[in-house]
Amino acid sequence: MAWLSLKVLLVGVSFLGCLYPLVDFFFSGETRGQKPNFVIILADDMGWGDLGTNWAETKDTVNLDKMAAEGMRFVDFHAAASTCSPSRASLLTGRLGLRNGVTHNFAVTSVGGLPLNETTLAEVLREAGYITGMIGKWHLGHHSSYHPNFRGFDYYFGIPYSHDMGCTDTPGYNHPPCPACPRGDRPPRSPERDCHTDVALPLYENLNIVEQPVNLSGLAQKYAEKATQFIQRASTSRRPFLLYVGLAHMHVPFTRTPLAAGPQDGTPYASGLREMDSLVGHIKDRVDRTAKENTFLWFTGDNGPWAQKCELAGSVGPFTGLWQAQQGGSPAKQTTWEGGHRVPAVAYWPGRVPINVTSTALLSVLDIFPTVVALAGAGLPPDRRFDGLDASNVLFGRSQTGHRGSSFVCDLVKKDSLSLSRVGLSQVLFHPNSGAAGQYGALQTVRLEHYKAFYITGGAKACDGSVGPEQHHKPPLIFNLEDVAEAVPLERGSAEYQRVLPKVGQVLADVLQDIAHDNISRADYTQDPSVTPCCNPHQIACRCQTTSQTDVSTSRDIRK
């Protein structure tokens, strides 16, 4: 009888007293046939204009530009939320935060994470016979059963949250600068409020902390090595695989490392962009050498650039949110302006995804889950509804239309109680509040075809320190996105506004009704200092000695 699920062997006790898994890449029985492999790469805080093929002023993404020329580039692709944890939760569940429970970021001391009754993409694919690996930033809960190894990933190597949420010995560039971890008995300097100095940033391999503090200067290289090892071992095992890579780039802090090729006099941001591009290039090269014809590689971002970081923030391209900028505050990360959630996206699959194609289809990070599940021949989790759609027709060049009707009423599940006859087959996305104005997760911005309606604006900090005033709009501000800068809303008395307004109200009412009748989850956002990752509580900042990490396939008990 073939082994259809990956064996996770408990092979030892770490120095923390935890059991950790050893991935068994081999199995008996039939081979995988034509099941595709999947590599999903998620950049952090990368602007739409940071991709060279999107914005001519960017010259630092040669590998991504080449991948776009060999595949499909999406120019109307959106994050599911405009901050870290909610965006990642939606990628792995295909559901908005009002459904999956993750509406804002988890903290270093968070007890909970992505609710355990939510089914992740990794869990679905593992049940379908896939090897599953995750490398990089997780940020969906690190304590107990919220760790990636318990959420469907057979192998994990990475950091549990953003790399500015713990001190390091190589803090790099940040705005404002943060101090290095304290050593010995020396107390930490009084840092800015946003700096973490009490506990060092940990690096995990499976359930083991293998380095604390992380050496940020070598982190990208380690990610490249672990990703290529995973791809190589999985490919030679004759099993299909899912690899999810959560990059640290382009989140602050930045540091120059050997991967960052290019002019030595470049800005820290440009250097970081080149490093990220090189890391993506390493992963793509390994795919091309081992499983090119049978591997779908999808690159995108979690949200737009963090404007309050000034010169350390990326480019929104033409999506400058001028209406908000004129009011004060940021129109980028944390907001629902285009600069906050319109993100770069590239799909690559030789022989399947047509080459050198620019797609204008309205798509979202929410679509990754149902698309990958469909391509893998797996089944969607029952008894819940999804906000993403299967984008296969777009990917394979058969359609230029993404979200049709209310995005939650796709043919993934039956919803006999809803009717969209009054709206027709309009293209719709809903953008949740993500830390700027309004209640976390609330759907107060609606994209309808080429129109966008805001029921609330303001609340995010700009580089100059200004925070736009929170403003509620009843009736909503509506922009025609032919005005890409979102500079001037439609006149409320105009025929165009009056034609769009009832449609916006109807699709918003429909999705809220749908959510009210759905099987929704609630995340535990309570905090307890005792759950802070710490490999040696007897040392200041939890500092501990490290050894070199192990090969993906042969990890054993790692001793300090």
Side-chain angles (χ1 to χ4, degrees):
M1 177 178 177
W3 296 356
L4 298 180
S5 61
L6 186 65
K7 294 187 296 180
V8 176
L9 306 179
L10 301 178
V11 296
V13 180
S14 74
F15 69 97
L16 290 174
C18 299
L19 295 173
Y20 67 94
L22 166 64
V23 179
D24 177 6
F25 283 89
F26 296 95
F27 74 113
S28 62
E30 297 178 3
T31 64
R32 68 179 179 223
Q34 294 301 308
K35 276 192 175 182
N37 309 308
F38 302 100
V39 178
I40 300 166
I41 303 177
L42 188 71
D44 198 343
D45 289 2
M46 183 181 182
W48 188 92
D50 287 337
L51 182 66
T53 55
N54 281 350
W55 198 235
E57 295 177 13
T58 299
K59 309 294 184 183
D60 300 302
T61 58
V62 292
N63 290 292
L64 279 166
D65 296 344
K66 181 175 184 289
M67 191 165 83
E70 296 172 347
M72 183 176 290
R73 174 176 63 109
F74 304 94
V75 294
D76 202 358
F77 196 94
H78 298 261
S82 55
T83 195
C84 301
S85 296
S87 186
R88 286 162 168 73
S90 290
L91 185 157
L92 290 177
T93 65
R95 286 153 57 87
L96 287 164
L98 286 184
R99 299 186 199 268
N100 66 40
V102 181
T103 58
H104 53 290
N105 287 341
F106 294 104
V108 175
T109 54
S110 286
V111 173
L114 176 65
L116 299 178
N117 58 322
E118 289 292 319
T119 304
T120 70
L121 178 61
E123 289 169 325
V124 173
L125 264 61
R126 190 165 68 175
E127 285 298 312
Y130 276 70
I131 297 168
T132 57
M134 197 260 155
I135 292 170
K137 172 180 168 179
W138 173 241
H139 214 170
L140 290 174
H142 53 271
H143 177 58
S144 187
S145 298
Y146 297 99
H147 185 280
N149 283 141
F150 300 115
R151 305 313 305 270
F153 290 102
D154 301 303
Y155 178 74
Y156 173 61
F157 182 87
I159 55 178
Y161 31 69
S162 299
H163 63 292
D164 65 341
M165 294 173 65
C167 64
T168 71
D169 291 335
T170 54
Y173 300 96
N174 203 342
H175 180 79
C178 288
C181 287
R183 290 181 176 272
D185 297 327
R186 176 170 57 86
R189 289 186 287 145
S190 297
E192 294 287 338
R193 180 176 58 84
D194 292 335
C195 295
H196 295 256
T197 59
D198 294 335
V199 178
L201 181 70
L203 178 65
Y204 280 85
E205 185 161 36
N206 296 318
L207 300 182
N208 265 343
I209 295 177
V210 295
E211 189 173 305
Q212 192 171 13
V214 175
N215 177 5
L216 292 180
S217 296
L219 188 59
Q221 184 66 46
K222 289 174 182 174
Y223 283 175
E225 292 170 356
K226 292 298 183 181
T228 54
Q229 282 180 19
F230 182 90
I231 293 167
Q232 183 65 50
R233 294 293 298 179
S235 297
T236 57
S237 74
R238 302 168 65 202
R239 299 192 60 182
F241 65 84
L242 164 70
L243 176 61
Y244 166 42
V245 183
L247 300 177
H249 305 80
M250 297 300 297
H251 200 293
V252 292
F254 296 119
T255 182
R256 181 176 288 277
T257 76
L259 274 178
Q264 296 303 304
D265 59 350
T267 66
Y269 193 89
S271 178
L273 196 56
R274 289 192 297 271
E275 180 183 75
M276 182 206 70
D277 182 70
S278 181
L279 172 53
V280 174
H282 276 71
I283 295 172
K284 177 181 176 291
D285 287 348
R286 178 59 61 179
V287 166
D288 285 346
R289 288 198 296 269
T290 58
K292 183 174 183 178
E293 292 77 17
N294 204 38
T295 301
F296 176 30
L297 197 160
W298 202 334
F299 174 91
T300 188
D302 69 337
N303 49 249
W306 201 357
Q308 71 184 65
K309 297 299 178 178
C310 300
E311 74 278 5
L312 300 179
S315 168
V316 295
F319 304 106
T320 52
L322 281 181
W323 186 92
Q324 183 62 68
Q326 290 165 0
Q327 306 286 317
S330 166
K333 177 178 177 176
Q334 298 182 311
T335 79
T336 56
W337 297 95
E338 292 297 290
H341 59 76
R342 192 184 288 233
V343 290
V346 177
Y348 172 77
W349 189 355
R352 297 295 303 275
V353 172
I355 64 171
N356 200 25
V357 170
T358 297
S359 173
T360 59
L362 178 63
L363 294 174
S364 165
V365 165
L366 288 159
D367 305 326
I368 293 175
F369 181 100
T371 302
V372 169
V373 168
L375 293 174
L380 288 164
D383 305 322
R384 66 198 65 191
R385 300 174 183 179
F386 298 88
D387 298 285
L389 57 79
D390 176 3
S392 298
N393 282 337
V394 176
L395 290 168
F396 299 146
R398 297 191 290 262
S399 173
Q400 277 280 16
T401 301
H403 283 252
R404 293 182 66 88
S406 289
S407 58
F408 57 90
V409 189
C410 51
D411 57 357
L412 300 177
V413 289
K414 294 180 180 178
K415 302 179 182 66
D416 298 331
S417 62
L418 293 177
S419 171
L420 293 180
S421 59
R422 287 168 290 181
V423 180
L425 292 176
S426 303
Q427 299 186 62
V428 182
L429 278 179
F430 303 97
H431 302 309
N433 299 340
S434 299
Q439 181 181 358
Y440 286 126
L443 303 180
Q444 294 185 282
T445 305
V446 180
R447 169 72 182 274
L448 179 67
E449 297 177 340
H450 59 281
Y451 295 99
K452 190 165 162 198
F454 291 83
Y455 288 86
I456 194 167
T457 56
K461 184 185 291 188
C463 172
D464 62 8
S466 67
V467 177
E470 180 170 320
Q471 299 184 55
H472 295 258
H473 306 282
K474 294 182 180 179
L477 293 177
I478 299 179
F479 292 82
N480 184 326
L481 291 182
E482 292 178 2
D483 170 15
V484 296
E486 294 172 298
V488 181
L490 300 178
E491 292 288 342
R492 287 190 169 98
S494 69
E496 187 177 15
Y497 184 96
Q498 294 299 320
R499 185 179 72 253
V500 174
L501 179 61
K503 296 180 181 180
V504 167
Q506 186 61 57
V507 295
L508 182 57
D510 283 347
V511 74
L512 293 177
Q513 179 189 358
D514 186 78
I515 290 170
H517 292 87
D518 194 10
N519 179 13
I520 64 173
S521 303
R522 298 192 184 280
D524 179 3
Y525 278 100
T526 60
Q527 297 188 35
D528 182 347
S530 70
V531 306
T532 301
C534 183
C535 65
N536 190 345
H538 302 294
Q539 291 291 326
I540 190 168
C542 294
R543 185 181 295 276
C544 59
Q545 298 295 319
T546 63
T547 59
S548 59
Q549 284 77 48
T550 56
D551 183 89
V552 168
S553 63
T554 59
S555 58
R556 289 293 188 268
D557 186 22
I558 300 173
R559 303 188 183 279
K560 301 298 175 200

